[in-house]
Amino acid sequence: GDGSRYAEHERSWSPRDRGYSDHSKYDQEYSGKWRDDKTVEARGWGRERESDRRKQKKFPSPDRKSPERSVPQGSVAHEEPPSKKRKEELDPILTRTGGAYIPPAKLRMMQEQITDKNSLAYQRMSWEALKKSINGLVNKVNVSNIENIIHELLQENIVRGRGLLSRSILQAQSASPIFTHVYAAVVAIINSKFPNIGELILKRLVLNFRKGYRRNDKQLCLTASKFVAHLINQNVAHEVLCLEMLTLLLERPTDDSIEVAIGFLKECGLKLTEVSPRGINAIFDRLRHVLHESKIDMRVQYMIEVMFAVRKDGFKDHPIIPEGLDLVEEEDQFTHMLPLEDDYNPEDVLNVFKMDPDFMENEEKYKTLKKEILDEGDSDSETDQDAGSSEEDEEEDGEDEEGQKVTIHDQTEINLVSFRRTIYLAIQSSLDFEECAHKLLKMDFPDSQTVSLAFYSLSVSREGRACWQLLLLPIYFKGQRVSLCHTHLPTHTCGGGVTSYFFQSVF
């Protein structure tokens, strides 16, 4: 009974019951599938064989002779070596996107092997060396070594590599905005020698700021505006650019735009206060209006209040130029007037290598220019040293001949002016005559100026608001007592008690 049931069960799952009319169709379908699979496999094997043949063509085995070698005078055999040589020539520099790393010594050796200095290979190698040198120098600049770095930068042809220098400085500043004041000082020094490079950097900065503003990229706006602020502090950019940027940021205020504006204002607020007080007053009025009228985040409201506190403190934590970075004389500075909305060409083509037909002539021109720039600094320092040594020699000769020190008389009265300024400030900053007396007695003046101290104090006390009590001072200097005559006292200050106190204290 179980066997028959099993047979029926098997019969119910036969292909005919599944919908196939007979076994032949079933066999044909599956045999067709198998045949298709075989053809696909055969095609795959054919491709593998073709790739093997190609590999054998490229890398023939030592045991088996390739058909190309067996042909004695084949065209392929003559064409292959030049293509390989050409690849070998381009490989050292063009193997990777940024250029393969070549050690400097090897690069110099490769340059020395090339006899034609105007050739493409030599110019390409010198361009790569220039790019690596500029990037390395910009990346290691700081406050302590900035003068040495500038000296080394000027050794390179930064006129040819001005695009590389601009890109390198902007990338370094965006990577580490905390060193923006250092990069701004570098740009200020280079701008004093090559104004076109300073202008190129400023153009790219303005375009970066506009791009960040359009894309709502807060970080790009923050870094670009911070760099612009420090360039304004260094007198590379005009303050009109700063006011235009602040107006744009506060025209339709959002939380991000106010944050960028406040970061910008902190960096260049002190400079704007000096050069354009009306402009900065208008900016702060706008900030006050935004604080009271606009719906902004609590964090941004707090930032605006902090900004007003910073202004009240006189931007003491944000000086115009930090110590050690005021390196350009005022007469050497070159300020660029670049409005915010103008169309600027970033000249990105300068970042890329281009064959120069007059390569060696331009290199010689830059060498003469570099010699003029660097010799100016050397000659100044040498003349200063020579002047100092000559003065020392004269002093030694004078001491040897006369055997005593020579007294120099000041005919310009500079010492007298500084002496009077000190007395005036001491008098005006004192609350009462006793405090003023202590200040004056602590000062160390020569004997010859004691009388002038007394009479100058008298004249100041006549002008001052509450300094008439100085007339009561007993002044002792190095054992010499100076009394002021009763006739010198102003009539409106000579009360009986005052006069009696004066004469009691002096006599």
Side-chain angles (χ1 to χ4, degrees):
D2 294 337
S4 61
R5 277 181 198 170
Y6 184 74
E8 285 174 13
H9 183 70
E10 284 292 320
R11 241 179 273 124
S12 67
W13 285 95
S14 65
R16 192 173 298 177
D17 293 334
R18 288 180 187 169
Y20 297 106
S21 58
D22 53 357
H23 287 284
S24 60
K25 274 189 181 179
Y26 179 79
D27 294 338
Q28 282 173 11
E29 190 173 339
Y30 277 88
S31 64
K33 280 188 179 180
W34 181 83
R35 206 175 291 118
D36 291 343
D37 292 342
K38 278 210 133 187
T39 53
V40 169
E41 272 188 78
R43 283 175 194 163
W45 288 341
R47 284 174 190 161
E48 286 177 6
R49 285 179 184 175
E50 284 177 12
S51 64
D52 288 340
R53 284 192 206 112
R54 285 175 190 163
K55 283 180 184 175
Q56 284 175 5
K57 282 180 186 178
K58 284 186 180 177
F59 308 106
S61 62
D63 300 330
R64 192 182 299 170
K65 280 191 176 182
S66 63
E68 284 83 8
R69 282 190 186 177
S70 62
V71 181
Q73 293 179 348
S75 59
V76 182
H78 286 292
E79 286 176 5
E80 271 188 322
S83 64
K84 284 182 181 176
K85 281 183 183 175
R86 199 175 300 116
K87 280 182 183 176
E88 285 173 6
E89 284 178 8
L90 299 176
D91 271 349
I93 293 173
L94 300 178
T95 47
R96 292 181 188 174
T97 309
Y101 173 72
I102 303 172
K106 186 179 178 184
L107 192 62
R108 281 195 297 270
M109 185 182 70
M110 290 166 67
Q111 283 179 322
E112 287 169 2
Q113 288 173 355
I114 300 173
T115 53
D116 184 12
K117 303 295 183 184
N118 280 319
S119 64
L120 176 65
Y122 183 83
Q123 289 191 31
R124 180 81 200 193
M125 285 181 191
S126 65
W127 177 264
E128 292 297 324
L130 178 66
K131 179 165 67 174
K132 288 173 185 173
S133 177
I134 287 174
N135 282 335
L137 290 170
V138 169
N139 286 334
K140 67 183 180 183
V141 68
N142 55 41
V143 180
S144 59
N145 67 359
I146 186 168
E147 294 180 8
N148 297 330
I149 293 292
I150 292 295
H151 195 274
E152 291 181 36
L153 263 178
L154 291 173
Q155 299 286 348
E156 305 292 338
N157 189 348
I158 58 175
V159 173
R160 183 190 182 206
R162 59 189 182 276
L164 296 175
L165 180 61
S166 305
R167 184 179 65 181
S168 184
I169 288 176
L170 292 178
Q171 284 179 349
Q173 186 268 338
S174 63
S176 52
I178 195 169
F179 292 109
T180 304
H181 55 287
V182 181
Y183 298 122
V186 171
V187 174
I189 298 170
I190 293 171
N191 183 64
S192 65
K193 307 297 180 186
F194 302 100
N196 57 335
I197 299 178
E199 186 181 15
L200 177 63
I201 293 172
L202 195 56
K203 281 178 182 176
R204 291 185 177 183
L205 262 180
V206 171
L207 290 172
N208 282 350
F209 175 78
R210 278 160 44 177
K211 187 196 303 180
Y213 185 78
R214 282 198 309 271
R215 296 178 179 177
N216 292 327
D217 188 346
K218 183 173 76 171
Q219 192 57 42
L220 182 58
C221 285
L222 278 171
T223 52
S225 62
K226 189 171 185 179
F227 206 171
V228 170
H230 282 278
L231 289 180
I232 289 166
N233 290 343
Q234 291 278 0
N235 290 324
V236 176
H238 200 271
E239 63 269 11
V240 170
L241 176 62
C242 172
L243 294 172
E244 286 180 345
M245 289 168 67
L246 287 168
T247 306
L248 176 68
L249 289 167
L250 298 175
E251 186 178 5
R252 290 191 294 269
T254 62
D255 291 345
D256 288 343
S257 71
I258 294 170
E259 186 176 344
V260 173
I262 287 174
F264 187 26
L265 199 53
K266 277 182 184 176
E267 301 298 335
C268 62
L270 188 56
K271 178 74 174 178
L272 278 179
T273 307
E274 289 184 3
V275 297
S276 178
R278 291 176 64 187
I280 198 168
N281 286 339
I283 296 297
F284 273 100
D285 288 343
R286 178 64 180 158
L287 275 176
R288 190 178 290 107
H289 181 267
V290 167
L291 180 62
H292 294 307
E293 303 296 332
S294 300
K295 292 181 180 179
I296 53 176
D297 192 34
M298 185 66 69
R299 180 180 66 90
V300 182
Q301 291 180 16
Y302 179 71
M303 289 175 71
I304 296 176
E305 290 172 2
V306 168
M307 188 66 238
F308 277 99
V310 168
R311 187 195 187 191
K312 190 176 180 182
D313 290 342
F315 299 92
K316 63 180 181 182
D317 294 329
H318 303 278
I320 296 177
I321 299 176
E323 188 178 352
L325 294 177
D326 191 5
L327 301 170
V328 184
E329 298 294 334
E330 194 171 347
E331 59 269 12
D332 295 334
Q333 291 172 350
F334 193 93
T335 305
H336 299 281
M337 181 69 181
L338 296 180
L340 182 63
E341 297 299 329
D342 280 12
D343 292 329
Y344 298 118
N345 180 15
E347 300 181 53
D348 291 328
V349 72
L350 295 173
N351 301 346
V352 188
F353 169 72
K354 189 179 178 184
M355 180 83 174
D356 186 5
D358 304 324
F359 176 71
M360 290 309 295
E361 292 179 16
N362 293 333
E363 288 290 320
E364 291 299 323
K365 285 178 184 176
Y366 184 77
K367 279 181 183 176
T368 56
L369 186 62
K370 174 183 72 176
K371 194 174 179 183
E372 288 177 9
I373 293 171
L374 295 178
D375 283 348
E376 277 180 10
D378 295 342
S379 62
D380 291 344
S381 58
E382 285 171 8
T383 50
D384 293 343
Q385 290 172 1
D386 294 343
S389 60
S390 62
E391 285 174 6
E392 288 172 4
D393 295 340
E394 286 174 5
E395 287 176 5
E396 288 173 2
D397 294 338
E399 285 182 1
D400 290 337
E401 290 172 4
E402 299 176 7
Q404 58 184 3
K405 292 182 180 178
V406 179
T407 306
I408 300 173
H409 297 284
D410 181 21
Q411 300 294 334
T412 59
E413 294 188 350
I414 293 175
N415 293 336
L416 182 61
V417 171
S418 63
F419 163 74
R420 288 180 173 176
R421 185 186 299 115
T422 308
I423 299 302
Y424 183 82
L425 292 174
I427 293 172
Q428 294 294 336
S429 62
S430 302
L431 291 175
D432 55 6
F433 66 94
E434 291 176 352
E435 182 187 349
C436 187
H438 286 294
K439 284 183 179 178
L440 291 176
L441 289 170
K442 282 181 183 178
M443 293 179 186
D444 187 20
F445 294 116
D447 299 339
S448 58
Q449 290 182 337
T450 309
V451 178
S452 61
L453 165 63
F455 285 98
Y456 185 66
S457 303
L458 176 63
S459 62
V460 170
S461 66
R462 285 177 173 173
E463 296 172 4
R465 42 191 171 80
C467 294
W468 55 269
Q469 293 176 339
L470 278 173
L471 303 176
L472 312 180
L473 287 177
I475 303 174
Y476 288 87
F477 275 99
K478 296 184 180 178
Q480 183 180 9
R481 185 170 68 172
V482 178
S483 60
L484 301 179
C485 188
H486 179 66
T487 54
H488 288 134
L489 293 172
T491 54
H492 64 279
T493 60
C494 291
V498 173
T499 312
S500 62
Y501 182 85
F502 172 74
F503 283 109
Q504 284 174 11
S505 59
V506 173
F507 300 107

